Amino acid sequence: MNRLRLLLLMLGFGLAGIQGGVLAADDKPQFGAANRDKDCTRCHDANDAKPVLAIYQTKHGVRGDARTPGCQTCHGDSASHIKDAPKNKPDVVFSKGTFEVSDDKTRSGQCLTCHTGKSRNNWDGSQHQNNQLACNDCHKAHAPADKVMVKKTQTEVCFTCHKEQRAQLKKVSTHPTEVGKVVCSDCHNTHGSPGPAMVKKNTIVETCYTCHAEKRGPFLFEHQPVTENCANCHSPHGSNIAPMLITRSPFICQSCHDGPHTTDSPVGRNAGGFQSGLTQNATGSNPSSHATGRGCLGCHSVIHGSNSPSGGYFQR
Amino acid sequence: MPGKLEIVMTTPNSKMKVTVLALAVEAALIGLCAMPVNAADAQEASLKAPASFINFGGAYVSQDSAKFGEYSGMNKSGGYGIADFAVRGGDSYGDGDGTKRWSFTGSDLGLSSRGLDAAISDQGKWSVWLAYDELTHYTSDSYQTPYLGSMGGNSWTLPAGFAPLTNTRAMTTAQLGAFRNVDVDNTRKNGLLGGGFILNKEWDVKIDYNQLEQSGAKLMGFGSAQWPVAPGPAVAGQNISILPMAQNYKTTTVNASLNWKGESGNATFGYYGSYFRDNNNGVTFQTFNGSGGGAPSTQTMGTPPSNDFHQLNVTGGYSFSGKTKLAGGLSYGRNTQNMTYGYDSGVGVDLGPMVTASPTSSLNGSVITTHADLKLTDQTTKQLTLSAGVKYDKRDNQTASNIYNSRSIDGGNIYNYPNTPNSNSKLQAEIAGDYRLDSKQKIRLAYNYQEVKRWCNNFATGGGTPAYAAGTNCVVATGNKENSLGATYRLKASSDVNFEAAYVYSDRKSSFDENARTAMIGTDGNPPGGTVTGLNASNYRGFHSFFEASRTQNLLKAKVGWQANEKWSVDLGGRYGKDNFDTLYGVQNAQTWSLNLDTTYAFRENGTMSAYVTQLNSGRNSTDQQRTSASAAAPSTTAVAVPAGATWSNALKDEDTTIGFNLKQAGLMGGKLELVGDATYSLGKTGYNTTLNYSTTTSNGLTCSSSALLTCGAPPDIVNRMIQFKLTGTYDVDKTSKVRVGYIYQYLNAADYYYNGLQVGNTPAAVLPTNQINPSYAVNVVAVSYIYSFK
């Protein structure tokens, strides 16, 4: 019944939207600046070194939408540039070329005139703004397919600055980023977020649960670090230890436990078993299941939490 | 041309005298003059019109490898289809007044990583989108097991006569013959339906409905549990079968938002719902070790419980002026779970691990998550930018706590302890300022404060001997307070050189209750001679987990970018971090550093090459007290005599080197051929080294480095060496057709001691081998496809 109510609510929203859309037809914001584009396109035509006219393939080039900006909506009136282009720069210069680029706040300011709120609510004071990035450092408004908006090409843009993550994603255990299935914007809101490291949700665990809802619980027996931060154990950009672990069991477990049975026992070369030179000891207990293979996780396998009354040790 | 037409029109009297030849010449002239304009018009129209394409062909993969095809789907040798397309249309393109557009795209349709997207919109009014996405994660193609069952199924049985097996290193020929290969993978199928509707200038609505279905399995340890069976224990505990753990999940997600935008403010009212359903309630398996001649026992491994999460969100912002803004948000979420326990629920002889009946048949779990944030930024002057913000997150676990009386899988440890519904909160505050020293220099100072609290709303009391007394704390690290101060300096040394350096110092002070009992057994946390279990999370007193221990942190970063000339640029950056933990035992310190060099060179108009090298290094050192058991105090043939208070240390070292080279050259063969080449070398190395901070031997003279112990020293480094080479050539056959030829060579040399203990004859005596091997490969891929583009 709850699901049915939800679907009805969604349907209601949808109908309201359609109805609203019809009503909104006569209520368009009056930008209309696209009509002045010819001031610019008489020079910046099809032969321009940059294919500026491709903007008409994008949402910014839909002339029938009265909200559509024109060249001068973003680049400024640029009257002196129109009068004497070689000498005078446009009011706002977005990319390096003949003229010096306008500062980041000026460039972003042009975009934020329209693109306010929603996912950009936390842009001001965000890490990217503090690092003097402007919208067009990542977005290419004139490109028919903006690389950063296409999952398969997005990382090319992010790796321009995030070199460590580029290297980490070449490690042996990663998310499916290289095939474009889980990319930066699936976890991060690059426009700023109240969450740590600009994750999309309020916390890291909430962000991870969007895909890994089976780890959410609440479980009968909870594992404290799991409820607080997945990154306590996992390195989400890649690791030498599968599955994206910060290190290998039993060493990772020994970072927090030295009490239960053998977690206070040192593990050395014996972790490599017979192939590392270990020989059978007198009691035949070599190699130890605590040290080799899955280590602690051989028995404590439901380490994200257990919902079994006999799962207090995360063994069930 | 208008001019030409005008001439013709102004000589009407001559019209009658026009000969065929003259007409032909005139037509040719008109044509000549008109052609460039028509071409320009066509070029302009082409730039404005939506591009569509179909790409189809085939690829051949030379070798089977689950690791190479881990996500791409090319996990087996042989042929694969290449199929991608994008079709776009609508009256919104070009110079017309239309606002409708649609698109239909497909990618990797011949592979298990395929995806389809469709969208239709009337810009400014509404849009609807639909997507389907698939991904198979191939995790192993070398796994072997004697168990019978289907990969992804919820029941595993042993072949008749396989059990009992008391020593997995001594299997009979018949037992060895029962092993078979099982490829292990899991698949995600994701469907999305969404819509956005603009109600008017100020209001719009957006709704996404997403359904994710997961099937298949992941390998997991299944430890057999021992419980009393008359006349004696028929099942040995802690015998480990590594089995494919079924994933039969469905997650439905709804994301709906109502957005408002006014002159100076904006707000979003949202609902986020996520409903997880596990179609299994446990996976049954037969144990392989029925000691004493007993029959194998069928036991149940728990699976993740179905659960729901509902969240209401409000975010918004207000601009006092164009330069002073306030932004904030509130969230309220409720996470519930009440799935009937799926487990071996019997009590008593022959029935299961529970000593007394479970106090509840399901958890009725409820966690309330709340969030609030508020941030004020002021950029009134170009010289100074100020920001101040505060955030608060709380996980309030309201689940009841009860005492559970069960056995560990070794059968010997009977515990009486409460479930621990963990709650925590985090308060953060930040104040920061950016000051422009002059037109070339900027400095930023930031101060952060963070306060974490941990507690349990409910923590059951009682539970036999020892009992959990009223007021017992359920967490050792009850909270911490952290202060951070950071400074960043930026210099634009010239129009071609940028420099940046940053330093952050953090100091975290944690508070502990080492008398807390965190539902663990063991007496290590007790004072000498104590017998109360579970104190200090059963750790030695003075042992604190790295993520909650007191620590100081120093972080230094620097980078420089140099645009040497129009063609050549260089970027150099690095980072160094050092953590020092204030704890007697546990992780003592951790360090990390990285260095990156990137360079790009445009060697000709249509050609660029770029190269990079990145070095990532990290490490941590930990120490701990070694247990002084009775046997250790009096050395035996297998245990060294450990002096009281003796410690050991372990060092972890991670070294990763990545080198990349990329080449792009267009305009070859008369402008028809474009080549893209990419080469990457990646070396990941992880090593551990353990030293005993005391010197002693067993009764027969063995030391820690003796081959029968090897409890000190270093296991072999985990080394993953990957080489990847890609070359793609795209040839323009004509304006609408291209042929693309691609070649990939990828090589992985993986050396990981993890697999040693899984091989037949080399396992621990109670671990059933899987014979999984290092996933090394050397794969060649050749691909050819034809691309047809159309407008």
Side-chain angles (χ1 to χ4, degrees):
Chain A
M1 282 305 287
N2 286 339
R3 188 70 58 80
L4 182 63
R5 276 184 203 156
L6 187 64
L7 286 172
L8 287 172
L9 186 67
M10 284 175 61
L11 187 62
F13 266 128
L15 289 173
I18 292 166
Q19 177 70 8
V22 173
L23 291 173
D26 299 326
D27 196 20
K28 292 176 179 173
Q30 297 301 309
F31 268 43
N35 296 328
R36 296 170 59 196
D37 283 1
K38 282 180 180 165
D39 292 348
C40 308
T41 57
R42 65 193 167 91
C43 294
H44 297 286
D45 58 10
N47 297 315
D48 207 71
K50 291 182 179 174
V52 293
L53 297 180
I55 198 169
Y56 294 108
Q57 289 184 49
T58 74
K59 289 181 175 179
H60 284 130
V62 178
R63 289 167 182 266
D65 182 355
R67 303 170 308 162
T68 294
C71 308
Q72 286 145 304
T73 312
C74 302
H75 292 275
D77 278 348
S78 305
S80 60
H81 177 69
I82 292 170
K83 198 173 174 184
D84 190 354
K87 269 189 180 175
N88 304 313
K89 66 176 188 176
D91 293 350
V92 183
V93 181
F94 284 92
S95 56
K96 193 167 185 177
T98 311
F99 303 110
E100 191 177 349
V101 176
S102 302
D103 70 48
D104 58 293
K105 289 194 172 61
T106 304
R107 286 179 285 143
S108 290
Q110 297 301 96
C111 308
L112 294 168
T113 307
C114 302
H115 297 281
T116 55
K118 299 181 187 174
S119 61
R120 291 164 294 273
N121 197 46
N122 285 282
W123 171 254
D124 287 293
S126 67
Q127 287 95 322
H128 278 162
Q129 195 213 30
N130 292 338
N131 280 299
Q132 299 180 300
L133 283 185
C135 310
N136 77 299
D137 288 321
C138 302
H139 293 285
K140 302 300 167 205
H142 287 262
D146 188 3
K147 272 188 175 181
V148 80
M149 300 289 280
V150 178
K151 288 186 101 172
K152 283 205 169 181
T153 53
Q154 184 182 90
T155 52
E156 287 177 36
V157 179
C158 303
F159 292 163
T160 309
C161 298
H162 297 281
K163 321 282 192 188
E164 280 192 28
Q165 284 72 21
R166 177 181 61 187
Q168 286 171 319
L169 281 159
K170 293 292 182 188
K171 292 188 178 187
V172 77
S173 177
T174 64
H175 275 112
T177 306
E178 192 151 307
V179 294
K181 290 295 182 182
V182 175
V183 297
C184 313
S185 65
D186 286 315
C187 302
H188 299 281
N189 179 357
T190 54
H191 301 116
S193 122
M198 292 198 292
V199 292
K200 285 175 93 169
K201 297 287 185 180
N202 295 325
T203 62
I204 286 176
V205 289
E206 262 187 41
T207 305
C208 301
Y209 294 157
T210 54
C211 294
H212 303 284
E214 76 277 11
K215 309 286 193 300
R216 186 168 51 206
F219 294 96
L220 168 60
F221 292 104
E222 296 192 320
H223 195 184
Q224 186 201 328
V226 177
T227 63
E228 292 188 21
N229 186 351
C230 307
N232 280 333
C233 298
H234 292 282
S235 175
H237 297 117
S239 165
N240 212 23
I241 312 292
M244 286 179 277
L245 288 168
I246 58 170
T247 189
R248 157 76 45 82
S249 171
F251 306 106
I252 189 172
C253 308
Q254 290 177 327
S255 299
C256 297
H257 297 286
D258 80 347
H261 54 90
T262 61
T263 51
D264 56 359
S265 298
V267 173
R269 280 177 64 191
N270 54 341
F274 292 139
Q275 294 93 324
S276 292
L278 189 70
T279 56
Q280 190 72 69
N281 63 16
T283 61
S285 61
N286 274 348
S288 164
S289 58
H290 301 140
T292 57
R294 305 177 80 85
C296 313
L297 299 171
C299 291
H300 303 278
S301 45
V302 290
I303 205 63
H304 295 104
S306 170
N307 204 50
S308 170
S310 56
Y313 299 124
F314 308 124
Q315 296 168 326
R316 281 286 181 266
Chain B
M1 288 285 288
K4 186 72 182 177
L5 286 170
E6 197 178 333
I7 292 167
V8 172
M9 293 302 287
T10 53
T11 56
N13 295 336
S14 61
K15 256 188 166 180
M16 297 304 289
K17 299 172 189 174
V18 169
T19 64
V20 173
L21 182 62
L23 196 64
V25 171
E26 275 195 13
L29 285 170
I30 291 169
L32 280 171
C33 294
M35 263 181 69
V37 171
N38 289 340
D41 287 349
Q43 197 177 347
E44 183 175 321
S46 175
L47 279 169
K48 294 178 177 178
S52 300
F53 75 91
I54 299 171
N55 176 26
F56 62 92
Y60 179 79
V61 177
S62 68
Q63 190 190 70
D64 290 355
S65 170
K67 187 62 190 170
F68 173 76
E70 182 178 15
Y71 294 123
S72 70
M74 293 190 286
N75 61 314
K76 298 287 183 189
S77 67
Y80 292 87
I82 292 175
D84 307 277
F85 70 88
V87 190
R88 299 182 179 93
D91 62 10
S92 71
Y93 294 100
D95 297 329
D97 286 335
T99 52
K100 294 185 180 67
R101 60 175 54 187
W102 55 266
S103 66
F104 185 32
T105 61
S107 62
D108 296 333
L109 298 176
L111 302 173
S112 59
S113 53
R114 59 185 64 87
L116 283 166
D117 290 272
I120 183 166
S121 65
D122 187 349
Q123 188 164 311
K125 295 177 186 172
W126 55 264
S127 57
V128 175
W129 52 88
L130 192 65
Y132 173 77
D133 184 71
E134 207 174 293
L135 180 70
T136 298
H137 185 190
Y138 296 95
T139 54
S140 177
D141 54 3
S142 60
Y143 168 76
Q144 295 183 344
T145 183
Y147 279 89
L148 304 172
S150 60
M151 201 281 297
N154 63 359
S155 173
W156 293 98
T157 57
L158 285 164
F162 189 90
L165 173 62
T166 53
N167 181 353
T168 58
R169 285 202 296 268
M171 283 187 279
T172 64
T173 305
Q175 286 169 324
L176 288 170
F179 279 75
R180 63 188 177 103
N181 271 86
V182 176
D183 285 355
V184 183
D185 56 66
N186 53 80
T187 299
R188 287 175 171 246
K189 293 179 179 176
N190 202 25
L192 170 72
L193 172 64
F197 308 94
I198 295 177
L199 309 178
N200 55 42
K201 272 165 65 174
E202 295 182 330
W203 293 89
D204 71 84
V205 174
K206 187 180 170 191
I207 302 170
D208 275 331
Y209 177 86
N210 193 91
Q211 187 147 304
L212 168 67
E213 291 185 11
Q214 292 171 258
S215 59
K218 281 182 182 174
L219 291 176
M220 201 176 93
F222 283 56
S224 63
Q226 178 179 316
W227 54 69
V229 177
V235 179
Q238 301 187 99
N239 283 262
I240 301 165
S241 307
I242 297 167
L243 290 168
M245 180 53 151
Q247 293 187 311
N248 190 355
Y249 308 152
K250 188 183 287 183
T251 308
T252 304
T253 307
V254 176
N255 216 335
S257 62
L258 176 66
N259 305 293
W260 171 79
K261 185 167 75 173
E263 283 297 315
S264 302
N266 63 272
T268 293
F269 307 90
Y271 166 78
Y272 173 75
S274 171
Y275 328 112
F276 170 76
R277 295 291 174 270
D278 185 350
N279 292 319
N280 290 319
N281 192 11
V283 170
T284 60
F285 69 106
Q286 283 186 314
T287 62
F288 61 82
N289 189 356
S291 64
S297 160
T298 298
Q299 302 188 356
T300 306
M301 179 61 74
T303 47
S306 300
N307 64 77
D308 291 336
F309 181 62
H310 305 272
Q311 189 179 50
L312 295 172
N313 299 291
V314 181
T315 60
Y318 184 80
S319 179
F320 296 100
S321 66
K323 307 292 183 186
T324 305
K325 293 177 185 171
L326 187 69
L330 293 168
S331 296
Y332 176 85
R334 186 160 183 261
N335 174 202
T336 55
Q337 189 271 107
N338 198 26
M339 196 167 182
T340 304
Y341 301 139
Y343 68 112
D344 309 303
S345 59
V347 177
V349 173
D350 291 330
L351 292 174
M354 298 302 290
V355 179
T356 57
S358 171
T360 59
S361 58
S362 63
L363 182 63
N364 197 20
S366 174
V367 174
I368 305 296
T369 55
T370 47
H371 167 87
D373 68 271
L374 195 66
K375 183 169 62 180
L376 180 68
T377 52
D378 180 79
Q379 301 170 58
T380 306
T381 68
K382 281 202 167 183
Q383 271 66 39
L384 183 64
T385 301
L386 293 170
S387 68
V390 62
K391 288 186 273 187
Y392 180 74
D393 285 283
K394 184 178 177 184
R395 180 188 198 264
D396 189 17
N397 194 336
Q398 301 182 341
T399 307
S401 179
N402 293 286
I403 299 286
Y404 291 83
N405 186 202
S406 180
R407 290 179 181 82
S408 169
I409 61 172
D410 67 2
N413 282 304
I414 295 174
Y415 59 77
N416 268 295
Y417 61 60
N419 57 307
T420 311
N422 289 297
S423 294
N424 59 67
S425 69
K426 185 188 283 186
L427 171 70
Q428 292 170 275
E430 183 193 71
I431 184 162
D434 287 79
Y435 183 69
R436 180 185 287 198
L437 300 170
D438 56 36
S439 62
K440 294 180 176 177
Q441 300 179 87
K442 281 182 88 173
I443 190 164
R444 173 181 170 81
L445 293 173
Y447 167 74
N448 280 275
Y449 172 77
Q450 182 173 294
E451 185 174 338
V452 173
K453 290 180 179 172
R454 302 182 182 92
W455 72 95
C456 289
N457 292 311
N458 302 303
F459 200 41
T461 56
T465 305
Y468 286 76
T472 302
N473 215 331
C474 73
V475 284
V476 172
T478 52
N480 62 56
K481 293 176 182 175
E482 181 167 0
N483 292 282
S484 301
L485 193 59
T488 305
Y489 172 75
R490 290 189 177 91
L491 170 67
K492 190 174 175 61
S494 72
S495 61
D496 299 321
V497 179
N498 288 293
F499 172 78
E500 182 182 320
Y503 171 73
V504 182
Y505 174 78
S506 302
D507 187 4
R508 182 171 74 195
K509 297 286 186 205
S510 305
S511 46
F512 298 98
D513 176 3
E514 292 192 345
N515 290 320
R517 298 180 63 202
T518 58
M520 302 291 284
I521 62 159
T523 55
D524 288 341
N526 291 307
T531 56
V532 180
T533 61
L535 299 185
N536 195 35
S538 298
N539 295 326
Y540 286 111
R541 286 184 183 269
F543 185 105
H544 296 145
S545 305
F546 71 98
F547 69 94
E548 53 192 16
S550 296
R551 62 122 171 80
T552 57
Q553 185 176 68
N554 289 275
L555 184 64
L556 182 65
K557 290 193 288 188
K559 64 180 179 182
V560 61
W562 177 41
Q563 185 73 43
N565 54 45
E566 282 186 0
K567 295 181 175 179
W568 184 34
S569 66
V570 181
D571 288 291
L572 177 67
R575 181 176 56 81
Y576 173 79
K578 180 78 188 280
D579 289 6
N580 285 308
F581 295 88
D582 182 17
T583 177
L584 182 60
Y585 303 123
V587 178
Q588 301 294 297
N589 56 63
Q591 54 285 324
T592 173
W593 65 264
S594 71
L595 197 62
N596 182 82
L597 177 67
D598 261 58
T599 184
T600 302
Y601 179 64
F603 57 92
R604 60 173 67 167
E605 189 183 358
N606 292 323
T608 58
M609 61 172 78
S610 58
Y612 71 87
V613 56
T614 304
Q615 182 69 35
L616 303 173
N617 279 38
S618 62
R620 64 111 182 89
N621 294 296
S622 62
T623 192
D624 203 3
Q625 185 181 154
Q626 187 165 351
R627 183 181 303 194
T628 51
S629 63
S631 61
S636 69
T637 55
T638 57
V640 293
V642 181
T647 62
W648 53 271
S649 301
N650 176 263
L652 156 69
K653 204 159 70 171
D654 249 321
E655 295 175 355
D656 300 290
T657 307
T658 312
I659 301 169
F661 179 75
N662 179 271
L663 176 75
K664 285 182 187 170
Q665 173 66 65
L668 296 169
M669 295 179 71
K672 292 193 165 189
L673 179 66
E674 182 188 64
L675 287 177
V676 179
D678 193 74
T680 306
Y681 171 81
S682 168
L683 172 66
K685 199 160 77 171
T686 302
Y688 308 93
N689 191 22
T690 299
T691 51
L692 303 190
N693 303 321
Y694 60 90
S695 178
T696 188
T697 60
T698 62
S699 63
N700 55 0
L702 299 178
T703 65
C704 70
S705 59
S706 300
S707 59
L709 297 178
L710 293 184
T711 51
C712 56
D717 282 345
I718 301 162
V719 180
N720 292 295
R721 186 178 281 108
M722 193 268 287
I723 296 170
Q724 187 184 59
F725 175 72
K726 292 182 190 173
L727 183 65
T728 306
T730 307
Y731 182 79
D732 294 347
V733 179
D734 57 36
K735 284 183 177 175
T736 57
S737 301
K738 294 177 182 178
V739 172
R740 180 170 290 160
V741 179
Y743 170 72
I744 300 173
Y745 171 74
Q746 197 162 310
Y747 163 89
L748 175 70
N749 185 349
D752 190 339
Y753 67 78
Y754 168 80
Y755 297 97
N756 292 355
L758 301 177
Q759 307 305 309
V760 165
N762 293 290
T763 59
V767 175
L768 203 60
T770 64
N771 286 328
Q772 288 168 266
I773 56 172
N774 274 302
S776 299
Y777 60 77
V779 175
N780 292 276
V781 181
V782 179
V784 182
S785 70
Y786 171 77
I787 305 164
Y788 177 70
S789 305
F790 53 99
K791 296 280 183 180

